[in-house]
Amino acid sequence: MKITNRYNLPMALTNAMMKDDYSKGSSEYSVTGLLQPPRVALLREQYDDQIEIDISDKMYTFLGTALHKVLEAAGMPANNTAEERLYADVDGSKISGQIDVQERTPAGTVIWDYKVTSVWSVIHEKTEWVEQLNMYKWFVETVKQERVVGLKVCAFLRDWSKNGSGANYPEASIVVVDIPVWSATETEAFIRDRLNAYKMAKMAKDFGEELPLCSNQERWMSETTFAVKREGRKTAIRVLTSEQEAKEMAIKENGYVETRLGEPRRCTGNYCQVAQWCDQYQGEAK
Amino acid sequence: MNQTDLLKINVNEHTEKKNGLTYLSWAWAWAEVLKADPAANFKVEMFDGSPLMPVGGSFMVWVTVTIFEKPVTCMLPVLDYRNKPIPTPNSFDVNTSIMRCLTKAIAMHGLGLYIYAGEDLPETDLNAEPKVESKAEPKAEKPKANKRIQVTEWDNSDASRKLFADGLIEYSSLCQTVDDLNGYWLSNQLQLESLKQTHTDLFKQVLETFSMKKKLFTEGK
């Protein structure tokens, strides 16, 4: 991967930001790796020497890393274990997960994950968080044979505002989010599904066949909306998710309906870093 | 070579420890068997067309290995990575159990049997002349008596990788559909990934064979 410094940021900062401590240990797959879409992971591997990222685009990753370092440096309470990596063998594949914090309570273990994230992420349940923390739970229960009684994300909200309002708007810039708990059977089935998806994708790549397509969820597909507009007015009167309701309103308002197609934001914003080599996205973009 | 000679072969360099269990490479073990008896063969026992024998909600596989014209049959339950019986095994689970059972049956003929007996080293020939220069055998971790020995399907030698690649190519002829080929490939994917890194030419041979067969099936030939 090529790292650029388009905005001439100071060397001390770029050095720190370029340092990548991420490792999947001696495992074949990590929890976070398995949660990536296989298409993205395999294209990244294939085009690693051509992917270009500006150092400024790594800000959020850097903030996350910094948060973990500060927490680790401050020391953990005696009943907490930080950054432990656990390994397991599933269907012949070695997988691992590194858990931010395991807090031992009289009732059992509580798993904590620290994240620097957006307000939006805590207002709308993030599926990836549920999957990630439940996989950690499975590791603790399977490998360490310990009972897990809670899954929590401690979210540092980078765009939180005191003036923010609306339903479910978080009360503070740091909040704790409870994550729904899956059964071990459910999680094990999920892990097998992910492993299988990766195995199928690797096989397709070996045979030069089409890689499995990313799902709408994996592509962060936004919803298609219908804007009710009127001639001579720049902004929409209202934006609705139902085409029927939009049409009815347009008749009442003597206006018209503009369809705003949902878009795969991960692809259009190149958050996957491989949009230019992806035939799924490029095929649609044409 | 006879059965006594098989008992003397040191297999320590071809084992690995995994989750506290000792695994022996089936590919290496079978290569040694063929060196001892080129007419040796093995057979996976079938039950109404299936290699699985149902036992109380789980399954057993059975393999018969014939060396020096003497058949020995072994059984092994189909287990997961925690060594628990799998109620609904997939093709990978079945393949793994069969190859483990194969190595167990080979051991019953003598090769690697000492590991099952909880010993560190094979039987030595008491009548043999002591060697003047000898290296101490690396002492393997002594398996606990209650630990079940399992076998793996992989080791790093050129010979075993060649055997692995040849085996895949040979047995791919048993596949009747693209799904069969895909299933066979997936069952061996971990080893194939490794083969791709270390023995690219062998990997390409296997890949080309499978690609050609896939193409033929797709075209309906």
Side-chain angles (χ1 to χ4, degrees), chain A residues 39-94:
Chain A
R39 167 176 280 264
V40 170
L42 293 180
L43 286 174
R44 275 189 196 160
E45 192 181 284
Q46 185 175 350
Y47 294 103
D48 182 59
D49 57 339
Q50 295 176 60
I51 294 172
E52 214 171 83
I53 292 182
D54 192 69
I55 199 81
S56 60
D57 291 331
K58 288 172 73 80
M59 186 183 87
Y60 293 143
T61 312
F62 178 67
L63 289 179
T65 309
L67 172 65
H68 283 83
K69 295 278 181 200
V70 169
L71 282 168
E72 238 184 315
M76 285 283 142
N79 63 337
N80 283 211
T81 304
E83 305 293 347
E84 184 180 20
R85 183 171 288 280
L86 300 174
Y87 295 87
D89 199 313
V90 179
D91 294 343
S93 296
K94 193 174 181 185

Side-chain angles (χ1 to χ4, degrees), chain B residues 1-220:
Chain B
M1 195 179 255
N2 56 29
Q3 192 168 16
T4 315
D5 296 322
L6 285 176
L7 282 164
K8 292 175 195 165
I9 296 175
N10 189 326
V11 303
N12 289 357
E13 286 184 12
H14 304 279
T15 62
E16 63 172 293
K17 302 271 180 199
K18 214 169 168 184
N19 294 336
L21 298 167
T22 304
Y23 291 76
L24 173 63
S25 155
W26 71 260
W28 179 84
W30 187 245
E32 290 300 310
V33 167
L34 290 178
K35 277 188 224 166
D37 176 10
N41 64 72
F42 73 90
K43 181 182 163 209
V44 178
E45 303 298 336
M46 303 298 274
F47 305 89
D48 293 330
S50 163
L52 299 172
M53 184 181 87
V55 181
S58 58
F59 297 93
M60 303 282 279
V61 293
W62 296 71
V63 174
T64 301
V65 170
T66 305
I67 306 175
F68 308 124
E69 296 182 349
K70 180 184 166 191
V72 171
T73 301
C74 266
M75 82 297 277
L76 202 70
V78 182
L79 302 171
D80 64 12
Y81 61 97
R82 291 173 296 190
N83 299 318
K84 299 267 165 51
I86 303 173
T88 52
N90 60 25
S91 57
F92 182 90
D93 304 322
V94 177
N95 178 63
T96 304
S97 295
I98 287 173
M99 302 325 281
R100 286 175 178 171
C101 192
L102 166 67
T103 314
K104 187 180 172 190
I106 292 170
M108 299 306 253
H109 282 280
L111 184 67
L113 186 61
Y114 67 93
I115 301 181
Y116 288 79
E119 302 297 333
D120 291 342
L121 294 169
E123 284 185 359
T124 50
D125 191 340
L126 295 174
N127 298 321
E129 287 288 322
K131 288 177 184 170
V132 179
E133 283 182 290
S134 65
K135 277 187 179 175
E137 289 287 351
K139 196 167 170 75
E141 186 188 322
K142 185 163 182 164
K144 286 178 187 167
N146 62 351
K147 276 187 183 164
R148 199 171 42 76
I149 305 299
Q150 297 192 13
V151 292
T152 187
E153 304 162 31
W154 201 237
D155 77 13
N156 292 321
S157 69
D158 289 351
S160 72
R161 295 201 171 203
K162 173 85 170 65
L163 193 66
F164 170 72
D166 289 348
L168 277 178
I169 289 170
E170 188 181 334
Y171 290 111
S172 67
S173 60
L174 298 174
C175 297
Q176 301 295 312
T177 63
V178 171
D179 283 348
D180 285 351
L181 282 167
N182 285 345
Y184 192 32
W185 182 275
L186 288 170
S187 299
N188 293 282
Q189 194 174 42
L190 197 63
Q191 294 88 336
L192 280 160
E193 286 291 317
S194 175
L195 192 72
K196 193 184 346 181
Q197 306 297 324
T198 60
H199 294 70
T200 313
D201 289 346
L202 286 177
F203 175 79
K204 279 184 182 164
Q205 282 175 31
V206 179
L207 183 67
E208 277 165 18
T209 305
F210 275 67
S211 297
M212 193 186 67
K213 287 179 191 291
K214 272 182 151 186
K215 199 177 165 205
L216 289 175
F217 286 138
T218 309
E219 289 170 356

Side-chain angles (χ1 to χ4, degrees), chain A residues 212-224:
Chain A
L213 301 177
C214 288
S215 65
N216 282 345
Q217 189 189 324
E218 287 170 332
R219 304 177 77 197
W220 306 344
M221 184 69 84
S222 62
E223 201 172 7
T224 294

